[in-house]
């Protein structure tokens, strides 16, 4: 028993390595995980004291546990059996397919990353790029939402800056969970986005099993009180106008709710910009009739480097205003109607709250004049538009100030040019003018070709 045993050095190294891994996995790692878990719980408890809507335990559950809960959900189990029968595969194969879907969808939220890094970065980036203007139709109504209700922010989708802007503006209320598409599944971006609490969806998937796994995750998160942000349009607006709503996520939120389910309160959020960062890409995609955007990482890096160079030279200017307006909340418990009526009604509310900013105003005035106006007449044309707007949508500034601000941004980008004493839109820039004008044209129904697309028949 106490005799000397000889062995090769490589075998000794291997033996020590196995022993170290066993010790770490059974004793060290659990202790370290417990230590950091306790620190996280204390940090979240302190964070919840200042949040209007505390972070729910569901959002803090371990990702592995959430995946297990999802794939063993009774409805998902029935969908697995049905999928196996339809596809003619063993049930264990169908089960692994469901597990793969669950791993793809379920996020791994990190409160420290979300509130320690993301919200601060969102705040800095929002104010670095825009003059942010926030407005509430009735702030007291938003503040009075039942603390036990699940809040869902329903927004139009103008730019990828929407994620950044709303994350910053909602940072004192709660952590938001976004539904993001396939574009965000690229490593290492996917790991960062999952840590932010976003969940992935395949927008073009038609498989019943996938849809059931996604629907059950959305339902579990909603029943768990997780605040969410959704874009009913399903993608960025290619024309600048509001697009008809899709029913996917709203259907998962609203249908088949048990009588004792937690209330869901929808808060409409209207977003508009004096400059949409992706406007050229979106306009080109609309002209080609495709949603295959040609933006490349090289173009993004060139843009960032150019902005940094301008800042170093002291010539950097922000891109005008970013307007955000919160509308009147809608309780699902107090709503009577189908999902289509719900989606259309929410889009109507977003349309009603759309901020009216300087560039869209000037763009609409120039578009109505055929792309050319005497410089002295432009403020009067803008004033006429303001007078025709609904009272609740009229900007606080006078027409002269708004015209100067809008023209400054359009001149900087060479979208308009001066021809004698007139302001003229070059032929190549008329689609850009139309893009920005379309964002507010629905406020003037007599001048809007798109107003019929946002039906008022189900107005709430």
């Amino acid at each position: 028993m106490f005799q000397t045993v000889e062995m090769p050095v490589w075998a000794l190294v291997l033996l020590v390595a196995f022993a170290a891994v066993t010790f770490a996995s059974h004793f060290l790692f659990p202790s370290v995980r417990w230590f950091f878990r306790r620190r996280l719980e204390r940090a979240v408890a302190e964070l919840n004291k200042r949040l209007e809507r505390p972070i729910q335990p569901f959002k803090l559950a371990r990702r592995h546990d959430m995946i297990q809960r999802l794939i063993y959900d009774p409805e998902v189990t029935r969908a697995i059996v049905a999928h196996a029968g339809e596809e003619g595969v063993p049930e264990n194969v169908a089960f692994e397919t469901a597990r793969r879907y669950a791993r793809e969808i379920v996020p791994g939220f990190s409160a420290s990353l979300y509130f320690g890094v993301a919200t601060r970065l969102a705040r800095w980036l929002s104010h670095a790029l825009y003059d942010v203007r926030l407005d509430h139709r009735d702030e007291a109504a938003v503040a009075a939402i039942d603390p036990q209700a699940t809040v869902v922010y329903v927004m139009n989708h103008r730019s990828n800056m929407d994620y950044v802007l709303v994350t910053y503006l909602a940072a004192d209320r709660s952590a938001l969970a976004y539904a993001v598409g396939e574009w965000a599944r690229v490593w290492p971006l996917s790991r960062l986005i999952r840590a932010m609490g976003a969940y992935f969806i395949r927008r073009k998937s038609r498989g019943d099993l996938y849809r059931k796994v996604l629907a059950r995750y959305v339902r579990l998160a909603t029943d768990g009180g997780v605040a969410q942000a959704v874009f009913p349009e399903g993608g960025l607006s290619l024309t600048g106008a509001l697009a008809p709503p899709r029913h996917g996520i709203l259907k998962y939120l609203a249908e088949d709710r048990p009588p004792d389910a937690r209330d869901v309160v929808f808060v409409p959020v209207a977003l508009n910009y004096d400059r949409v960062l992706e406007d050229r890409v979106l306009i080109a995609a609309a002209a080609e009739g495709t949603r295959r955007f040609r933006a490349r990482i090289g173009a993004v890096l060139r843009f960032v480097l150019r902005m940094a160079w301008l800042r170093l030279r002291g010539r950097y200017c922000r891109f005008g205003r970013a307007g955000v307006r919160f509308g009147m909340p809608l309780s699902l418990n107090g709503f009577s109607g189908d999902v289509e009526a719900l989606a259309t009604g929410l889009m109507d509310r977003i349309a009603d709250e759309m901020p009216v900013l300087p560039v869209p105003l000037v763009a609409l005035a120039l578009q109505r004049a055929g792309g050319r106006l005497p410089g002295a007449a432009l403020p009067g044309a803008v004033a006429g538009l303001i007078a025709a707007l609904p009272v609740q949508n009229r900007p606080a500034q006078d027409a002269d100030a708004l015209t100067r601000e809008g023209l400054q941004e359009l001149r900087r980008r060479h979208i308009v040019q001066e021809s004698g004493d007139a302001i003229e839109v070059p032929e190549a820039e008329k689609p850009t003018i139309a893009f920005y004008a379309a964002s507010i044209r629905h406020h003037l129904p007599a001048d809007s070709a798109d107003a019929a697309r946002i039906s008022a028949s189900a107005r709430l």
Side-chain angles (χ1 to χ4, degrees):
M1 181 175 178
F2 296 99
Q3 293 177 341
T4 302
V5 177
E6 294 185 3
M7 66 173 61
V9 174
W10 65 266
L12 178 63
V13 171
L14 193 60
L15 180 63
V16 171
F18 277 124
V21 169
T22 302
F23 174 78
S25 62
H26 285 76
F27 299 99
L28 181 60
F29 291 167
S31 300
V32 171
R33 283 196 297 266
W34 176 85
F35 173 76
F36 282 108
R37 185 74 182 178
R38 289 295 301 273
R39 291 194 62 183
L40 173 63
E41 289 173 354
R42 288 196 294 268
V44 170
E46 290 299 317
L47 181 62
N48 280 340
K49 292 178 182 179
R50 67 176 179 83
L51 288 177
E52 185 177 300
R53 310 190 72 81
I55 303 172
Q56 299 296 322
F58 178 94
K59 199 172 184 69
L60 298 172
R62 292 195 306 169
R63 183 166 179 263
H64 172 77
D65 296 341
M66 191 62 246
I67 291 171
Q68 295 298 106
R69 180 180 175 185
L70 182 58
I71 59 179
Y72 286 105
D73 181 88
E75 292 191 27
V76 173
T77 300
R78 287 193 289 270
I80 289 172
V81 174
H83 178 79
E86 292 170 2
E87 300 296 325
V89 298
E91 289 185 9
N92 64 322
V93 174
F95 181 84
E96 288 304 318
T97 301
R99 186 195 297 274
R100 187 174 71 252
Y101 292 155
R103 290 177 58 84
E104 181 181 294
I105 293 168
V106 174
F109 178 71
S110 167
S112 58
L113 180 60
Y114 188 94
F115 289 100
V117 178
T119 56
R120 295 179 182 180
L121 181 60
R123 177 188 178 90
W124 174 81
L125 189 59
S126 296
H127 286 289
L129 295 178
Y130 296 102
D131 175 12
V132 180
R133 304 294 179 98
L134 174 63
D135 187 21
H136 287 81
R137 170 67 70 91
D138 189 345
E139 189 169 3
V142 177
I145 294 174
D146 181 0
Q148 298 303 314
T150 297
V151 174
V152 178
Y153 294 92
V154 185
M155 304 174 288
N156 64 301
H157 205 3
R158 287 283 282 164
S159 167
N160 285 308
M161 267 299 296
D162 299 343
Y163 298 98
V164 176
L165 199 58
V166 176
T167 296
Y168 152 52
L169 293 174
D172 60 343
R173 298 184 184 275
S174 188
L176 299 181
Y178 290 93
V180 297
E182 292 89 340
W183 62 268
R185 292 173 59 196
V186 179
W187 188 90
L189 184 63
S190 60
R191 297 184 67 87
L192 175 63
I193 291 175
R194 273 205 181 92
M196 295 283 292
Y199 57 96
F200 294 93
I201 61 174
R202 299 182 183 185
R203 300 193 184 277
K204 295 182 180 180
S205 176
R206 297 294 182 266
D208 290 340
L209 179 57
Y210 176 81
R211 288 201 298 268
K212 177 57 69 175
V213 174
L214 175 60
R216 287 307 297 160
Y217 173 77
V218 174
R219 168 59 57 203
L220 290 172
T222 303
D223 291 343
V226 176
Q228 300 175 51
V230 301
F231 300 97
E233 294 167 291
L236 293 170
S237 171
L238 301 184
T239 64
L242 292 173
R246 299 180 181 180
H247 304 153
I249 297 297
L250 292 178
K251 181 178 180 180
Y252 300 150
L253 290 167
E255 286 191 344
D256 302 324
R257 299 176 68 242
D260 59 345
R262 185 192 294 256
D263 190 16
V264 178
V265 178
F266 297 99
V267 178
V269 184
L271 303 136
N272 205 1
Y273 302 87
D274 272 337
R275 179 176 178 181
V276 174
L277 300 180
E278 312 91 335
D279 55 4
R280 305 288 187 186
V281 175
L282 298 174
I283 293 167
E288 296 174 2
T290 178
R291 297 197 68 87
R292 294 182 179 179
F293 306 135
R294 294 184 176 177
R296 295 180 174 86
I297 189 65
V300 175
L301 290 175
R302 285 195 299 272
F303 174 82
V304 172
L305 291 174
R306 181 170 177 269
M307 294 302 104
W309 176 242
L310 289 174
R311 183 176 286 275
L312 287 173
R313 296 172 62 193
R315 299 179 58 185
Y316 175 77
C317 295
R318 290 189 294 184
F319 302 147
R321 300 185 191 180
V324 183
R325 196 174 190 196
F326 290 80
M328 290 294 294
L330 169 67
S331 168
L332 193 55
N333 282 352
F335 173 77
S336 57
D338 58 15
V339 174
E340 184 176 356
L342 175 67
T344 304
L346 288 170
M347 288 303 295
D348 283 343
R349 291 193 176 197
I350 292 172
D352 290 343
E353 303 300 333
M354 186 61 62
V356 178
L357 304 181
V359 166
L361 265 176
V362 173
L364 183 55
L366 288 169
Q367 186 187 48
R368 293 181 68 177
R372 181 184 174 89
L373 263 178
L378 185 55
V382 170
L385 289 176
I386 294 173
L389 291 170
V391 175
Q392 69 270 16
N393 297 112
R394 293 176 186 172
Q397 284 183 282
D398 61 78
D400 288 344
L402 291 167
T403 302
R404 286 195 301 271
E405 195 172 331
L407 269 181
Q408 182 180 19
E409 180 61 30
L410 293 173
R411 283 193 184 111
R412 185 181 297 123
R413 300 185 61 197
H414 308 291
I415 295 172
V416 299
Q417 59 189 23
E418 296 185 23
S419 178
D421 62 348
I423 304 296
E424 186 174 8
V425 181
E427 192 65 30
E429 295 295 346
K430 286 186 176 179
T432 308
I433 288 292
F435 178 84
Y436 285 97
S439 67
I440 63 169
R441 203 168 62 230
H442 63 272
H443 285 314
L444 305 165
D447 189 54
S448 176
D450 295 319
R453 294 201 305 169
I454 309 298
S455 172
S457 61
R459 187 176 298 275
L460 307 179

